[in-house]
Amino acid sequence: HQAVDRNMGIGANAPGFSKGPSELGLAATRNPGLVKQFANLAREEWLVTGIRKGYQYMADIATEPRWARIEGTFGEDPELAAEMIRAVTLGFQGEALGAESVALTTKHFPGGGPQVDGHDPHFSWGSDQAYPGSQFEKHLIPFKAAIAAGTSAIMPYYAVPKGEEFEPKAFAYNKAIISDLLRGEMGFEGVVNSDTGVVLMTPWGTEELNVSERYAAAVNAGVDLFAGNGDAKYLLEAVNNGIISEQRIDESVRRLLTEIYSLGLFENPYADPDAASEISKYDKADRVGKELMLHSITLLRNNDHLLPIKNGQKIYVENLEQPDTGQQFVDNPHDADLIIYHVAPEGKGLFGSANEAIKLALSEHNVDVERINALGKIAPLVLSLNLNRPWIIEEVEASATSIIVGFGGDEALWDVLTGKFNPVGKLPITIPQSESAVIDNVIDVPGYAESGGYALFKFGAGLSYSQ
């Protein structure tokens, strides 16, 4: 696992493959057709390098703003996430799994967004997932879309659901969630793929069982494939002891072999190096990736029509590489007509987490808010923010004449700043107005901004230069 999911062919920092915005950025484009096109082009790149299966994408709904994995989601709205998960699934797999497909594993069923206090169930102290707003069904909507689009596999999360209607076991051990809901009610017939290390590292709700019994509990709940556990002796032990039936093993083997057969890997398991060399010369995926980056950039404020940058303006920039595009850049902010300050909060990442309150204020994440506010007093300030989480910007918001957010790609950002491209992006998540608003948030409710008193910028916000 990485702190934030990045997917080759989609992730902005994926070396050697075509690049596009993060999953949040894909959702900001509101353009499922273009997303599907890029996923299909990325599929071609994966295919010729021999990659035939990916453990992505995330269909989780980002309803708890402190959760560290929000960048890997398609945002907080279930219908938008459903559109996007459908687009990437059809782009990578096609209408049916075949010899030209890359099989996908959609995660994390039934949705990892509503984590209590934003903590993550990779850790025992973060295992609780709750539905205080009774919105469990809305978190299923993107998974229903993925199933309808033919996703090859689905991965349950580590979390333990809380509430009288749920069995207090992690989803991988939860028969009501996998066998009854996913397979029985939702009709999923593909592979159920456990998350990494579910037996040895995160056996929440089954800690009292030995390793062999945990395997049995997960298999009997409906898991077909175990990720991150390479030693099958405990699984074999469970079968030999009669706590997993051979018939149940046969069901999983049939599903796994069906996937391999459908991909054509029995007939031809090899990649063609000549094809890989040839496709590396194409630039269509890069062009579409840049187009997605352009479409994702979202303008949230533009007081006094500060943007786009006007001809002849003197520009002072911090934390953003200056392009060679003919603009007049100055080294002293006091000489500037316009100041651009780029903020890319580092955050602690998923595996930098601790059992303590999670905060989203910029000053908690190595951002010099005093410097930003000082610059805002010198000249009109453009605050440029890399939106990989719903950062709270109340410490600097009043100093910004213009606010613009992006999801990867400095070149695309400059195209928007200079007016080469008119911004069209729309927020895929709400930006909260304060830490107290986040604490009061109902963690399973999509678009909680509608209740009032929560949002600084609501889901769907986004301006163009004509507004």
mmCIF file of all heavy atoms in Angstrom, residues 49-80:
data_model
loop_
_atom_site.group_PDB
_atom_site.id
_atom_site.type_symbol
_atom_site.label_atom_id
_atom_site.label_comp_id
_atom_site.label_asym_id
_atom_site.label_seq_id
_atom_site.Cartn_x
_atom_site.Cartn_y
_atom_site.Cartn_z
ATOM 1 N N THR A 49 2.933 -4.041 -21.964
ATOM 2 C CA THR A 49 3.985 -4.322 -20.994
ATOM 3 C C THR A 49 3.692 -5.572 -20.170
ATOM 4 O O THR A 49 4.471 -5.936 -19.286
ATOM 5 C CB THR A 49 4.185 -3.129 -20.042
ATOM 6 O OG1 THR A 49 2.937 -2.826 -19.407
ATOM 7 C CG2 THR A 49 4.675 -1.910 -20.788
ATOM 8 N N GLY A 50 2.566 -6.224 -20.451
ATOM 9 C CA GLY A 50 2.254 -7.479 -19.795
ATOM 10 C C GLY A 50 1.483 -7.342 -18.493
ATOM 11 O O GLY A 50 1.275 -8.334 -17.790
ATOM 12 N N ILE A 51 1.040 -6.127 -18.157
ATOM 13 C CA ILE A 51 0.239 -5.932 -16.943
ATOM 14 C C ILE A 51 -1.217 -6.201 -17.295
ATOM 15 O O ILE A 51 -1.820 -5.461 -18.060
ATOM 16 C CB ILE A 51 0.407 -4.502 -16.389
ATOM 17 C CG1 ILE A 51 1.878 -4.223 -16.092
ATOM 18 C CG2 ILE A 51 -0.451 -4.318 -15.139
ATOM 19 C CD1 ILE A 51 2.156 -2.785 -15.707
ATOM 20 N N ARG A 52 -1.792 -7.230 -16.733
ATOM 21 C CA ARG A 52 -3.134 -7.653 -17.121
ATOM 22 C C ARG A 52 -4.162 -7.505 -16.011
ATOM 23 O O ARG A 52 -5.331 -7.817 -16.215
ATOM 24 C CB ARG A 52 -3.102 -9.108 -17.595
ATOM 25 C CG ARG A 52 -2.144 -9.363 -18.769
ATOM 26 C CD ARG A 52 -2.477 -8.500 -19.984
ATOM 27 N NE ARG A 52 -3.850 -8.601 -20.386
ATOM 28 C CZ ARG A 52 -4.346 -9.585 -21.145
ATOM 29 N NH1 ARG A 52 -3.541 -10.545 -21.576
ATOM 30 N NH2 ARG A 52 -5.629 -9.594 -21.488
ATOM 31 N N LYS A 53 -3.714 -7.049 -14.831
ATOM 32 C CA LYS A 53 -4.661 -6.869 -13.735
ATOM 33 C C LYS A 53 -4.176 -5.724 -12.856
ATOM 34 O O LYS A 53 -2.974 -5.580 -12.614
ATOM 35 C CB LYS A 53 -4.793 -8.141 -12.903
ATOM 36 C CG LYS A 53 -5.892 -8.071 -11.838
ATOM 37 C CD LYS A 53 -6.081 -9.412 -11.162
ATOM 38 C CE LYS A 53 -7.126 -9.355 -10.051
ATOM 39 N NZ LYS A 53 -8.486 -9.109 -10.557
ATOM 40 N N GLY A 54 -5.136 -4.906 -12.410
ATOM 41 C CA GLY A 54 -4.792 -3.798 -11.522
ATOM 42 C C GLY A 54 -5.669 -3.805 -10.289
ATOM 43 O O GLY A 54 -6.857 -4.120 -10.363
ATOM 44 N N TYR A 55 -5.078 -3.456 -9.149
ATOM 45 C CA TYR A 55 -5.832 -3.372 -7.897
ATOM 46 C C TYR A 55 -6.339 -1.945 -7.707
ATOM 47 O O TYR A 55 -5.881 -1.216 -6.845
ATOM 48 C CB TYR A 55 -4.944 -3.781 -6.724
ATOM 49 C CG TYR A 55 -4.822 -5.265 -6.528
ATOM 50 C CD1 TYR A 55 -5.248 -6.150 -7.510
ATOM 51 C CD2 TYR A 55 -4.273 -5.797 -5.373
ATOM 52 C CE1 TYR A 55 -5.137 -7.510 -7.347
ATOM 53 C CE2 TYR A 55 -4.150 -7.167 -5.194
ATOM 54 C CZ TYR A 55 -4.576 -8.018 -6.184
ATOM 55 O OH TYR A 55 -4.456 -9.378 -6.011
ATOM 56 N N GLN A 56 -7.234 -1.542 -8.530
ATOM 57 C CA GLN A 56 -7.833 -0.222 -8.490
ATOM 58 C C GLN A 56 -9.103 -0.291 -9.338
ATOM 59 O O GLN A 56 -9.276 -1.276 -10.061
ATOM 60 C CB GLN A 56 -6.838 0.825 -9.016
ATOM 61 C CG GLN A 56 -6.837 1.070 -10.508
ATOM 62 C CD GLN A 56 -6.103 0.012 -11.353
ATOM 63 O OE1 GLN A 56 -5.676 -1.009 -10.862
ATOM 64 N NE2 GLN A 56 -6.004 0.279 -12.628
ATOM 65 N N TYR A 57 -10.037 0.614 -9.240
ATOM 66 C CA TYR A 57 -10.004 1.933 -8.618
ATOM 67 C C TYR A 57 -10.844 1.948 -7.361
ATOM 68 O O TYR A 57 -11.567 1.002 -7.076
ATOM 69 C CB TYR A 57 -10.521 2.963 -9.626
ATOM 70 C CG TYR A 57 -9.530 3.220 -10.719
ATOM 71 C CD1 TYR A 57 -9.459 2.390 -11.833
ATOM 72 C CD2 TYR A 57 -8.636 4.273 -10.611
ATOM 73 C CE1 TYR A 57 -8.528 2.613 -12.816
ATOM 74 C CE2 TYR A 57 -7.713 4.518 -11.603
ATOM 75 C CZ TYR A 57 -7.649 3.679 -12.693
ATOM 76 O OH TYR A 57 -6.713 3.890 -13.657
ATOM 77 N N MET A 58 -10.807 3.083 -6.656
ATOM 78 C CA MET A 58 -11.552 3.221 -5.422
ATOM 79 C C MET A 58 -12.947 3.772 -5.696
ATOM 80 O O MET A 58 -13.104 4.857 -6.245
ATOM 81 C CB MET A 58 -10.806 4.138 -4.452
ATOM 82 C CG MET A 58 -9.545 3.501 -3.895
ATOM 83 S SD MET A 58 -8.528 4.655 -2.922
ATOM 84 C CE MET A 58 -9.672 5.097 -1.614
ATOM 85 N N ALA A 59 -13.946 3.006 -5.292
ATOM 86 C CA ALA A 59 -15.337 3.433 -5.412
ATOM 87 C C ALA A 59 -15.848 4.013 -4.094
ATOM 88 O O ALA A 59 -17.039 4.294 -3.962
ATOM 89 C CB ALA A 59 -16.220 2.256 -5.834
ATOM 90 N N ASP A 60 -14.958 4.206 -3.139
ATOM 91 C CA ASP A 60 -15.327 4.762 -1.840
ATOM 92 C C ASP A 60 -15.830 6.200 -1.993
ATOM 93 O O ASP A 60 -15.324 6.964 -2.818
ATOM 94 C CB ASP A 60 -14.118 4.765 -0.905
ATOM 95 C CG ASP A 60 -13.395 3.431 -0.891
ATOM 96 O OD1 ASP A 60 -12.610 3.163 -1.831
ATOM 97 O OD2 ASP A 60 -13.592 2.676 0.054
ATOM 98 N N ILE A 61 -16.797 6.573 -1.168
ATOM 99 C CA ILE A 61 -17.330 7.930 -1.154
ATOM 100 C C ILE A 61 -16.637 8.721 -0.053
ATOM 101 O O ILE A 61 -16.626 8.306 1.105
ATOM 102 C CB ILE A 61 -18.853 7.930 -0.911
ATOM 103 C CG1 ILE A 61 -19.558 7.084 -1.965
ATOM 104 C CG2 ILE A 61 -19.396 9.350 -0.927
ATOM 105 C CD1 ILE A 61 -19.328 7.545 -3.374
ATOM 106 N N ALA A 62 -16.062 9.860 -0.401
ATOM 107 C CA ALA A 62 -15.231 10.645 0.528
ATOM 108 C C ALA A 62 -16.097 11.543 1.406
ATOM 109 O O ALA A 62 -16.142 12.758 1.240
ATOM 110 C CB ALA A 62 -14.224 11.480 -0.260
ATOM 111 N N THR A 63 -16.785 10.929 2.373
ATOM 112 C CA THR A 63 -17.696 11.698 3.218
ATOM 113 C C THR A 63 -17.063 12.166 4.523
ATOM 114 O O THR A 63 -17.589 13.073 5.157
ATOM 115 C CB THR A 63 -18.949 10.866 3.539
ATOM 116 O OG1 THR A 63 -18.563 9.593 4.047
ATOM 117 C CG2 THR A 63 -19.793 10.682 2.287
ATOM 118 N N GLU A 64 -15.988 11.538 4.966
ATOM 119 C CA GLU A 64 -15.248 11.995 6.151
ATOM 120 C C GLU A 64 -13.981 12.699 5.669
ATOM 121 O O GLU A 64 -13.056 12.068 5.164
ATOM 122 C CB GLU A 64 -14.915 10.802 7.051
ATOM 123 C CG GLU A 64 -13.848 11.049 8.118
ATOM 124 C CD GLU A 64 -14.083 12.286 8.976
ATOM 125 O OE1 GLU A 64 -14.940 12.232 9.880
ATOM 126 O OE2 GLU A 64 -13.399 13.302 8.736
ATOM 127 N N PRO A 65 -13.924 14.041 5.754
ATOM 128 C CA PRO A 65 -12.850 14.797 5.101
ATOM 129 C C PRO A 65 -11.457 14.518 5.641
ATOM 130 O O PRO A 65 -10.464 14.828 4.971
ATOM 131 C CB PRO A 65 -13.245 16.264 5.340
ATOM 132 C CG PRO A 65 -14.188 16.235 6.484
ATOM 133 C CD PRO A 65 -14.902 14.926 6.406
ATOM 134 N N ARG A 66 -11.341 13.925 6.816
ATOM 135 C CA ARG A 66 -10.016 13.688 7.397
ATOM 136 C C ARG A 66 -9.386 12.372 6.945
ATOM 137 O O ARG A 66 -8.211 12.121 7.240
ATOM 138 C CB ARG A 66 -10.112 13.731 8.927
ATOM 139 C CG ARG A 66 -10.448 15.108 9.454
ATOM 140 C CD ARG A 66 -10.738 15.083 10.952
ATOM 141 N NE ARG A 66 -12.012 14.427 11.230
ATOM 142 C CZ ARG A 66 -12.533 14.308 12.459
ATOM 143 N NH1 ARG A 66 -11.867 14.794 13.491
ATOM 144 N NH2 ARG A 66 -13.694 13.708 12.628
ATOM 145 N N TRP A 67 -10.143 11.535 6.265
ATOM 146 C CA TRP A 67 -9.607 10.240 5.824
ATOM 147 C C TRP A 67 -8.446 10.467 4.865
ATOM 148 O O TRP A 67 -8.558 11.243 3.900
ATOM 149 C CB TRP A 67 -10.725 9.436 5.166
ATOM 150 C CG TRP A 67 -10.378 8.015 4.851
ATOM 151 C CD1 TRP A 67 -9.655 7.155 5.609
ATOM 152 C CD2 TRP A 67 -10.765 7.289 3.681
ATOM 153 N NE1 TRP A 67 -9.576 5.931 4.999
ATOM 154 C CE2 TRP A 67 -10.245 5.988 3.808
ATOM 155 C CE3 TRP A 67 -11.513 7.618 2.544
ATOM 156 C CZ2 TRP A 67 -10.434 5.011 2.842
ATOM 157 C CZ3 TRP A 67 -11.713 6.636 1.584
ATOM 158 C CH2 TRP A 67 -11.184 5.351 1.728
ATOM 159 N N ALA A 68 -7.333 9.775 5.081
ATOM 160 C CA ALA A 68 -6.094 10.036 4.337
ATOM 161 C C ALA A 68 -6.137 9.585 2.886
ATOM 162 O O ALA A 68 -5.277 9.970 2.101
ATOM 163 C CB ALA A 68 -4.909 9.361 5.044
ATOM 164 N N ARG A 69 -7.126 8.802 2.490
ATOM 165 C CA ARG A 69 -7.124 8.222 1.152
ATOM 166 C C ARG A 69 -8.085 8.910 0.187
ATOM 167 O O ARG A 69 -8.414 8.363 -0.864
ATOM 168 C CB ARG A 69 -7.442 6.722 1.246
ATOM 169 C CG ARG A 69 -6.524 5.992 2.198
ATOM 170 C CD ARG A 69 -6.663 4.504 2.104
ATOM 171 N NE ARG A 69 -6.104 3.992 0.870
ATOM 172 C CZ ARG A 69 -6.053 2.684 0.556
ATOM 173 N NH1 ARG A 69 -6.555 1.799 1.383
ATOM 174 N NH2 ARG A 69 -5.535 2.293 -0.575
ATOM 175 N N ILE A 70 -8.482 10.118 0.514
ATOM 176 C CA ILE A 70 -9.472 10.801 -0.308
ATOM 177 C C ILE A 70 -8.964 11.074 -1.716
ATOM 178 O O ILE A 70 -9.733 11.022 -2.682
ATOM 179 C CB ILE A 70 -9.934 12.100 0.387
ATOM 180 C CG1 ILE A 70 -10.897 11.744 1.528
ATOM 181 C CG2 ILE A 70 -10.597 13.064 -0.588
ATOM 182 C CD1 ILE A 70 -11.420 12.920 2.304
ATOM 183 N N GLU A 71 -7.664 11.336 -1.889
ATOM 184 C CA GLU A 71 -7.161 11.618 -3.232
ATOM 185 C C GLU A 71 -7.398 10.458 -4.188
ATOM 186 O O GLU A 71 -7.540 10.656 -5.393
ATOM 187 C CB GLU A 71 -5.669 11.958 -3.198
ATOM 188 C CG GLU A 71 -5.151 12.414 -4.553
ATOM 189 C CD GLU A 71 -3.680 12.778 -4.543
ATOM 190 O OE1 GLU A 71 -2.949 12.285 -3.663
ATOM 191 O OE2 GLU A 71 -3.261 13.549 -5.407
ATOM 192 N N GLY A 72 -7.456 9.248 -3.656
ATOM 193 C CA GLY A 72 -7.682 8.080 -4.509
ATOM 194 C C GLY A 72 -9.138 7.816 -4.820
ATOM 195 O O GLY A 72 -9.445 6.844 -5.515
ATOM 196 N N THR A 73 -10.041 8.666 -4.320
ATOM 197 C CA THR A 73 -11.470 8.494 -4.587
ATOM 198 C C THR A 73 -11.918 9.416 -5.713
ATOM 199 O O THR A 73 -11.185 10.293 -6.163
ATOM 200 C CB THR A 73 -12.320 8.808 -3.339
ATOM 201 O OG1 THR A 73 -12.376 10.237 -3.141
ATOM 202 C CG2 THR A 73 -11.741 8.153 -2.092
ATOM 203 N N PHE A 74 -13.168 9.231 -6.132
ATOM 204 C CA PHE A 74 -13.789 10.143 -7.095
ATOM 205 C C PHE A 74 -14.678 11.169 -6.393
ATOM 206 O O PHE A 74 -15.600 11.715 -6.985
ATOM 207 C CB PHE A 74 -14.593 9.347 -8.120
ATOM 208 C CG PHE A 74 -13.734 8.492 -9.012
ATOM 209 C CD1 PHE A 74 -13.799 7.110 -8.945
ATOM 210 C CD2 PHE A 74 -12.855 9.072 -9.912
ATOM 211 C CE1 PHE A 74 -13.003 6.318 -9.772
ATOM 212 C CE2 PHE A 74 -12.048 8.294 -10.733
ATOM 213 C CZ PHE A 74 -12.121 6.916 -10.661
ATOM 214 N N GLY A 75 -14.386 11.428 -5.112
ATOM 215 C CA GLY A 75 -15.066 12.493 -4.404
ATOM 216 C C GLY A 75 -16.204 12.027 -3.526
ATOM 217 O O GLY A 75 -16.341 10.842 -3.214
ATOM 218 N N GLU A 76 -17.060 12.977 -3.141
ATOM 219 C CA GLU A 76 -18.071 12.721 -2.121
ATOM 220 C C GLU A 76 -19.452 12.387 -2.668
ATOM 221 O O GLU A 76 -20.318 11.949 -1.915
ATOM 222 C CB GLU A 76 -18.183 13.934 -1.200
ATOM 223 C CG GLU A 76 -18.817 15.153 -1.867
ATOM 224 C CD GLU A 76 -18.865 16.354 -0.939
ATOM 225 O OE1 GLU A 76 -17.866 16.599 -0.247
ATOM 226 O OE2 GLU A 76 -19.894 17.040 -0.923
ATOM 227 N N ASP A 77 -19.673 12.569 -3.949
ATOM 228 C CA ASP A 77 -21.011 12.371 -4.500
ATOM 229 C C ASP A 77 -21.135 10.974 -5.106
ATOM 230 O O ASP A 77 -20.368 10.610 -6.006
ATOM 231 C CB ASP A 77 -21.304 13.421 -5.567
ATOM 232 C CG ASP A 77 -22.707 13.272 -6.127
ATOM 233 O OD1 ASP A 77 -23.652 13.672 -5.434
ATOM 234 O OD2 ASP A 77 -22.841 12.745 -7.247
ATOM 235 N N PRO A 78 -22.084 10.163 -4.650
ATOM 236 C CA PRO A 78 -22.166 8.783 -5.142
ATOM 237 C C PRO A 78 -22.481 8.673 -6.623
ATOM 238 O O PRO A 78 -21.970 7.773 -7.306
ATOM 239 C CB PRO A 78 -23.273 8.160 -4.286
ATOM 240 C CG PRO A 78 -24.018 9.289 -3.679
ATOM 241 C CD PRO A 78 -23.061 10.420 -3.574
ATOM 242 N N GLU A 79 -23.309 9.559 -7.163
ATOM 243 C CA GLU A 79 -23.657 9.463 -8.581
ATOM 244 C C GLU A 79 -22.462 9.854 -9.465
ATOM 245 O O GLU A 79 -22.232 9.228 -10.511
ATOM 246 C CB GLU A 79 -24.860 10.352 -8.892
ATOM 247 C CG GLU A 79 -26.129 9.968 -8.143
ATOM 248 C CD GLU A 79 -26.646 8.583 -8.510
ATOM 249 O OE1 GLU A 79 -26.247 8.046 -9.558
ATOM 250 O OE2 GLU A 79 -27.459 8.036 -7.731
ATOM 251 N N LEU A 80 -21.713 10.884 -9.064
ATOM 252 C CA LEU A 80 -20.513 11.254 -9.814
ATOM 253 C C LEU A 80 -19.478 10.140 -9.754
ATOM 254 O O LEU A 80 -18.875 9.776 -10.778
ATOM 255 C CB LEU A 80 -19.932 12.553 -9.258
ATOM 256 C CG LEU A 80 -18.597 13.011 -9.864
ATOM 257 C CD1 LEU A 80 -18.735 13.268 -11.363
ATOM 258 C CD2 LEU A 80 -18.079 14.258 -9.146
#
